[in-house]
Amino acid sequence: MEIKRLKTKGETMIERAENQFWAYETGNNSDSKDLVLLDNVQFIYELSLAELELKALNVEFEVTNGLREFKILNKSNEQKELIKRKGAFYKTVGGQFTDYFQIIQRNQTRSVNQYLTHWIYPYKGKFHPQMIRALLNIIGLKEGETVFEPFSGSGTTALEAQLLGINFIGIDISPLCVIQGKVKTESIYVIDEIKKLKSEILANITPNLFQTNENYYNLLNILSKDERVKNFYMLARLLAVSDNSRRNRDFVNSFIKNVDLMILSIEDYVEIKEKLNLKLGDVKIEIGDSRNVKLPDNSVDGIITSPPYSIALDYVQNDIHSLKDLSYDVLKMRDDFIGVRGNGKNKIELYNDDMKKSYKEIYRVLKTNKYAVIVIGNATYQGQEVKTVELTIKFMEGLGFKLEKNINKIIFGLYNVMKKENILIFKKVK
Ligand SMILES: C[S@@+](CC[C@H](N)C(=O)[O-])C[C@H]1O[C@@H](n2cnc3c(N)ncnc32)[C@H](O)[C@@H]1O
């Protein structure tokens, strides 16, 4: 069953704007409009990241017109091209749309930051992708260098690094996270096989097929030998499992709808990659434990991560339906997940010990004079604030890091346990 590809709102907008440029650029194209911020940039922390990003790209600038426009003081074509290709917060540079503006129009969801394949699977606690793109630039990572994510979660950093041509190595203790990261970044290479398999799977749909996970996973093994294709259809099933158990949606309908949307998103990615001539970074994601990382000393050029927020989210409980569907022993799994073991005071002590081990590993694998970004907040547990931010800073400084920046960022959701988080940028100085 082929679904007709409708234009997304973003595509319609961009087409219109390309024909009628005045829709975006009113008045003359004066110098004060060298750089125009994207409309979704609304918070102070975003403006401060936008400024740090420009500094990292060696741009001297002046903020004009109510903070939304910048004048470039040391203009050169090379530099404009750099901002156009890499920048995270700008809609136009010298009147030209940035790559990022064009990328975020490829969005099959209603959520502004869930463009391309970012939306696939409703994982709680995702990074804001735009912030990650900016941080990759701020810490000076270049095409061909490697960023490491010891808690890679839903794969936000993986996809953003890939888009910028930066190589990515990620680990997560959760097999569900590993599948998410892989599907978001690997499906583009096998989109034709994925589309071909769709009709075969749909032809096999009987009530029986979805009743047990074994029936379905066995069928996948028969129909494809390619792990990337199998991962795609595994995650499509898990999305339906999640829709069904969390939102009571009909399983088969949800499965079919998700497969179609996932395919459209991957096609979006393939198209924009070609249109913008993106050279993608290599991505490697595996199951792994941040307390014992299988990477050599001084081997990565940067680290960007957000560890589990002590007790703010129970990552096992959150995804219990999908983990059970993958036949994991969820009780046993809890032993290795940071932040979910123990009770009361003991829970926080275990968390702090585990995080110290993880921070030591971050120090060990990072090259000297390179940066580690840790996004973390203080949660309230049993009526008391747990000082995770302060503990992180103190411990990291003890290891040989210097805190270069500490940016406050508000967060939506989780309001009862956490209201803000901090973007901590450390440099490994010794
Ligand atoms: C805050 S989330 C990361 C979210 C991620 N930044 C994103 O954008 O989706 C923390 C992650 O740490 C993982 N985790 C917990 N214990 C771990 C361990 N011992 N080793 C590696 N990952 C672990 C959890 O599975 C969870 O995905």
Side-chain angles (χ1 to χ4, degrees):
M1 180 175 39
E2 272 305 317
I3 288 210
K4 192 171 168 327
R5 167 92 157 73
L6 291 175
K7 271 188 204 146
T8 63
K9 227 179 176 179
E11 281 167 345
T12 312
M13 255 177 74
I14 215 168
E15 249 175 41
R16 224 182 270 161
E18 271 162 358
N19 294 331
Q20 306 169 299
F21 204 65
W22 54 266
Y24 285 93
E25 288 286 298
T26 50
N28 61 17
N29 202 356
S30 70
D31 278 0
S32 66
K33 277 192 178 182
D34 285 339
L35 265 174
V36 179
L37 284 179
L38 282 159
D39 299 336
N40 72 339
V41 176
Q42 296 292 343
F43 296 114
I44 291 171
Y45 84 87
E46 294 177 306
L47 192 61
S48 79
L49 287 177
E51 294 192 1
L52 285 178
E53 190 184 48
L54 286 181
K55 282 184 191 148
L57 299 174
N58 290 321
V59 180
E60 287 168 30
F61 59 89
E62 208 170 75
V63 182
T64 62
N65 191 9
L67 303 179
R68 299 211 68 85
E69 289 164 15
F70 296 65
K71 179 178 174 182
I72 303 178
L73 303 174
N74 58 337
K75 235 181 291 184
S76 74
N77 283 342
E78 251 163 72
Q79 200 176 47
K80 275 198 209 155
E81 182 63 14
L82 203 63
I83 307 170
K84 183 191 165 284
R85 299 285 289 171
K86 296 175 114 185
F89 290 109
Y90 318 99
K91 183 152 80 183
T92 55
V93 182
Q96 264 193 320
F97 286 127
T98 59
D99 282 10
Y100 190 66
F101 175 69
Q102 300 184 65
I103 289 170
I104 64 175
Q105 309 310 319
R106 306 293 173 127
N107 188 338
Q108 300 290 337
T109 77
R110 269 179 279 178
S111 170
V112 86
N113 59 39
Q114 294 298 288
Y115 49 88
L116 301 184
T117 52
H118 274 303
W119 70 272
I120 301 177
Y121 201 81
Y123 183 78
K124 273 200 192 157
K126 281 182 188 176
F127 267 147
H128 195 316
Q130 187 177 32
M131 173 182 92
I132 298 303
R133 184 173 174 99
L135 287 169
L136 287 162
N137 288 328
I138 290 169
I139 65 171
L141 288 172
K142 310 258 171 344
E143 265 185 26
E145 292 187 328
T146 301
V147 62
F148 172 56
E149 231 290 24
F151 301 98
S152 78
S154 64
T156 314
T157 312
L159 178 53
E160 287 304 316
Q162 184 181 41
L163 283 165
L164 283 171
I166 296 164
N167 299 331
F168 176 87
I169 301 177
I171 55 168
D172 199 288
I173 202 76
S174 160
L176 175 65
C177 289
V178 173
I179 296 177
Q180 288 174 56
K182 282 177 182 270
V183 170
K184 290 177 189 183
T185 53
E186 293 180 351
S187 303
I188 43 163
Y189 302 115
V190 283
I191 182 66
D192 293 338
E193 291 87 330
I194 287 173
K195 281 163 82 176
K196 219 171 102 210
L197 204 66
K198 178 184 148 188
S199 48
E200 291 185 56
I201 289 187
L202 294 189
N204 274 287
I205 286 191
T206 59
N208 199 10
L209 176 67
F210 289 118
Q211 233 141 47
T212 73
N213 48 1
E214 278 163 28
N215 289 350
Y216 180 77
Y217 295 134
N218 285 342
L219 177 72
L220 285 189
N221 281 331
I222 295 166
L223 295 181
S224 179
K225 296 275 164 280
D226 193 313
E227 282 308 312
R228 297 167 296 182
V229 178
K230 283 195 268 189
N231 282 339
F232 174 95
Y233 282 101
M234 211 183 262
L235 195 61
R237 175 184 164 91
L238 297 174
L239 253 171
V241 168
S242 161
D243 277 355
N244 180 257
S245 54
R246 287 186 187 152
R247 302 186 198 156
N248 223 1
R249 296 217 174 121
D250 176 74
F251 192 94
V252 175
N253 284 341
S254 163
F255 175 82
I256 296 172
K257 199 173 143 223
N258 286 326
V259 167
D260 284 329
L261 262 189
M262 285 166 76
I263 288 178
L264 287 177
S265 306
I266 292 158
E267 286 177 335
D268 278 346
Y269 192 173
V270 173
E271 277 168 29
I272 199 71
K273 171 188 175 288
E274 273 154 29
K275 181 175 177 206
L276 300 175
N277 196 15
L278 301 177
K279 186 177 166 294
L280 302 184
D282 295 336
V283 175
K284 201 169 142 216
I285 307 174
E286 282 172 3
I287 296 179
D289 191 331
S290 59
R291 296 166 300 179
N292 180 14
V293 176
K294 309 264 179 283
L295 282 175
D297 298 357
N298 306 306
S299 59
V300 299
D301 303 293
I303 292 177
I304 298 183
T305 197
S306 68
Y309 290 130
S310 58
I311 53 292
L313 262 181
D314 187 325
Y315 290 96
V316 182
Q317 194 55 37
N318 240 343
D319 293 312
I320 196 142
H321 301 102
S322 292
L323 290 168
K324 281 189 174 163
D325 200 75
L326 291 167
S327 304
Y328 282 99
D329 179 344
V330 281
L331 257 183
K332 198 161 164 285
M333 259 186 146
R334 296 183 77 85
D335 289 348
D336 294 324
F337 268 71
I338 295 176
V340 303
R341 284 177 299 141
N343 293 303
K345 213 167 155 233
N346 169 253
K347 190 170 191 166
I348 296 173
E349 277 164 15
L350 284 171
Y351 172 80
N352 289 344
D353 282 351
D354 284 342
M355 283 314 303
K356 285 180 182 171
K357 287 183 190 145
S358 306
Y359 291 149
K360 276 188 187 163
E361 286 292 76
I362 285 181
Y363 177 81
R364 183 182 66 76
V365 301
L366 184 65
K367 292 179 187 168
T368 309
N369 289 324
K370 298 286 182 179
Y371 296 87
V373 183
I374 296 174
V375 183
I376 192 138
N378 286 344
T380 304
Y381 182 56
Q382 299 182 334
Q384 280 203 317
E385 192 183 22
V386 188
K387 303 268 186 199
T388 310
V389 176
E390 290 75 5
L391 180 120
T392 299
I393 297 174
K394 195 161 163 244
F395 192 73
M396 291 285 280
E397 286 179 338
L399 287 172
F401 281 106
K402 180 171 177 280
L403 181 65
E404 294 269 326
K405 288 273 177 303
N406 179 352
I407 303 165
N408 279 341
K409 164 183 183 299
I410 67 145
I411 44 174
F412 294 115
L414 298 179
Y415 271 135
N416 47 349
V417 281
M418 259 165 83
K419 292 187 184 62
K420 72 173 175 76
E421 56 192 355
N422 296 57
I423 305 169
L424 306 174
I425 306 183
F426 294 98
K427 183 173 185 181
K428 179 172 168 177
V429 286
K430 49 176 186 211

